[in-house]
């Protein structure tokens, strides 16, 4: 699953799987690391790979994100290239087209026009996208629509080569650990509530994940910001913003774990972590 930021890649993976394995937000660059989503039906299996949005790399974090996409492209049997039908192509779509050009003829590439539900001129937009890399199969969908997602999933199943399962039949639908998932959910809820540069400058890391005797999970997640003056913005007046983030993340984690969760969030400063390869590794981007 590739495409520029914010076109609905993670949404489509989640709808195709029927469960949420990837965080979603209205802000670009929500996904930072590739995650796999595993769909098994009968003797057939699809391993979806959700990737970050392709953009012009500006720091060590975005270089890492672009690497996540190119590494994924090197290992897949089929590419779904998502575009946003609400708008004509931009420079970032051209970057994706350029990256896909060498794969043409090697693996099937389907051009998927998304957000058809909200597009005024979907046909004209689709035409403009198709010109970026002529000769591809194309579809118009809404990633939030289950029927559209299922039809596309069936199409993918039909195009994949025969081979052994990559994951056991009873494997979870996603390949992230519960610790990674807790950190991602906290980051998702924080991103949704922050503005301007702050959503992009936060990182989250789970420090404790314990099942207590009383049957509840104790989860402690650190939220890192790049500058001291970002801290009060994240915490909010009277701690209100942080409390909102915690309540929303706890709700999602309780559904995921089917248990009560005590979520402890701590805000810390990690100066300029996005520019620092060592910091990236420490924060789980390796
Ligand atoms: N109207 C409409 N909105 C959609 C559709 N699919 C996704 N969205 C919205 O588009 C926004 C971005 O969705 P994501 O799934 O996070 O997009 P993404 O491509 O994974 O974004 P990055 O991870 O940042 O690259 C969210 O607000 C979604 O709710 C769709 O079919 N129709
Ligand atoms: Mg995403």
């Amino acid at each position: 699953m590739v495409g520029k930021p914010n076109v609905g890649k993670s949404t489509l993976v989640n709808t195709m799987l029927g469960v949420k394995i990837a965080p979603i937000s209205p802000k670009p660059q929500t996904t930072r690391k590739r995650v796999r989503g595993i769909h098994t039906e009968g003797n057939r299996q699809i391993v979806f790979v959700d990737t970050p949005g392709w953009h012009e790399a500006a720091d060590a974090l975005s270089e890492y994100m672009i690497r996540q996409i190119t590494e994924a492209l090197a290992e897949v049997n089929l590419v779904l290239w998502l575009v946003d039908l609400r708008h004509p192509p931009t420079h970032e779509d051209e970057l994706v087209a350029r990256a896909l050009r060498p794969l043409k003829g090697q693996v099937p590439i389907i051009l998927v026009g998304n957000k058809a539900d909200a597009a005024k001129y979907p046909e004209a937009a689709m035409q403009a996208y198709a010109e970026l890399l002529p000769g591809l199969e194309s579809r118009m969908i809404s990633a939030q629509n289950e029927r559209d997602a299922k039809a596309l999933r069936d199409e993918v199943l039909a195009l994949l080569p025969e081979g052994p399962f990559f994951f056991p039949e009873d494997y979870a639908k996603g390949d992230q650990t519960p610790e990674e998932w807790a950190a991602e959910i906290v980051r998702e809820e924080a991103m949704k509530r922050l503005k301007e540069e702050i959503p992009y400058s936060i990182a989250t890391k789970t420090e404790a994940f314990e099942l207590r005797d009383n049957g509840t999970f104790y989860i402690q997640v650190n939220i890192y910001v790049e500058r001291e003056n970002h801290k009060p913005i994240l915490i909010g007046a009277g701690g209100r913003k942080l409390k909102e983030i915690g309540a929303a993340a706890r709700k999602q984690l309780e559904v995921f774990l089917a248990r009560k969760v005590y979520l402890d969030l701590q805000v810390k400063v990690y100066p300029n972590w996005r520019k620092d390869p060592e910091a990236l590794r420490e924060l789980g981007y390796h």
Side-chain angles (χ1 to χ4, degrees):
M1 195 79 64
V2 294
K4 75 175 166 188
N6 208 39
V7 292
K9 299 177 293 299
S10 301
T11 303
L12 182 56
V13 170
N14 289 340
T15 313
M16 293 219 257
L17 291 172
V19 292
K20 183 170 174 182
I21 64 126
I24 295 172
S25 97
K27 309 224 167 55
Q29 299 183 27
T30 300
T31 304
R32 288 178 177 168
K33 202 173 174 162
R34 66 179 187 272
V35 290
R36 293 180 183 80
I38 302 135
H39 171 77
T40 308
E41 63 174 80
N43 63 352
R44 303 190 295 175
Q45 182 173 73
I46 310 176
V47 182
F48 293 105
V49 187
D50 184 24
T51 67
W54 201 298
H55 59 285
E56 209 70 80
D59 53 28
L61 175 64
S62 46
E63 279 166 18
Y64 167 85
M65 288 163 66
I66 303 296
R67 227 166 33 241
Q68 288 288 302
I69 316 171
T70 51
E71 285 174 14
L73 284 174
E75 65 177 21
V76 296
N77 299 109
L78 182 146
V79 176
L80 295 177
W81 171 21
L82 250 71
V83 296
D84 185 344
L85 289 179
R86 296 174 310 167
H87 310 287
T90 63
H91 173 60
E92 287 173 327
D93 294 295
E94 285 170 21
L95 294 177
V96 183
R98 201 179 306 158
L100 292 180
R101 202 159 294 141
L103 285 176
K104 224 184 127 202
Q106 309 287 317
V107 293
I109 302 173
I110 306 177
L111 175 61
V112 180
N114 189 32
K115 310 198 186 183
D117 59 286
K120 256 193 184 152
Y121 307 105
E123 276 86 12
M126 200 69 200
Q127 180 66 33
Y129 284 108
E131 282 165 16
L132 296 180
L133 192 59
L136 301 183
E137 289 269 319
S138 66
R139 296 282 169 281
M140 292 199 249
I141 67 156
S142 169
Q144 291 164 334
N145 181 301
E146 276 175 40
R147 209 172 330 146
D148 285 2
K150 191 175 171 299
L152 187 58
R153 196 179 72 193
D154 286 343
E155 207 170 318
V156 169
L157 271 173
L159 286 167
L160 289 178
E162 272 183 43
F165 276 10
F166 282 92
F167 288 90
E169 252 169 283
D170 54 356
Y171 200 86
K173 295 231 176 186
D175 71 341
Q176 287 171 294
T177 64
E179 286 84 354
E180 287 170 324
W181 187 238
E184 283 292 81
I185 287 305
V186 171
R187 192 170 61 84
E188 180 194 71
E189 295 295 356
M191 278 193 80
K192 284 192 217 162
R193 289 170 179 78
L194 296 166
K195 284 200 280 267
E196 287 154 22
E197 187 58 13
I198 322 266
Y200 309 105
S201 70
I202 60 167
T204 50
K205 192 174 180 200
T206 303
E207 295 294 337
F209 198 110
E210 297 156 16
L211 183 58
R212 295 264 160 100
D213 289 341
N214 62 3
T216 66
F217 275 102
Y218 169 77
I219 305 175
Q220 199 249 301
V221 177
N222 285 348
I223 307 181
Y224 295 94
V225 292
E226 287 199 304
R227 288 208 299 268
E228 197 62 50
N229 64 350
H230 286 168
K231 242 170 131 172
I233 302 173
L234 174 62
I235 294 168
R240 230 169 298 142
K241 183 146 285 174
L242 189 64
K243 220 175 269 172
E244 255 181 51
I245 294 168
R250 179 171 54 77
K251 220 161 140 194
Q252 283 208 56
L253 289 168
E254 285 183 339
V255 171
F256 174 70
L257 295 163
R259 297 257 188 179
K260 279 230 164 303
V261 167
Y262 181 87
L263 182 62
D264 176 8
L265 298 181
Q266 290 185 23
V267 180
K268 298 187 188 283
V269 181
Y270 198 140
N272 296 317
W273 68 266
R274 281 185 295 174
K275 294 191 174 69
D276 176 357
E278 183 59 34
L280 288 182
R281 268 193 296 280
E282 242 174 82
L283 294 171
Y285 300 113
H286 48 71

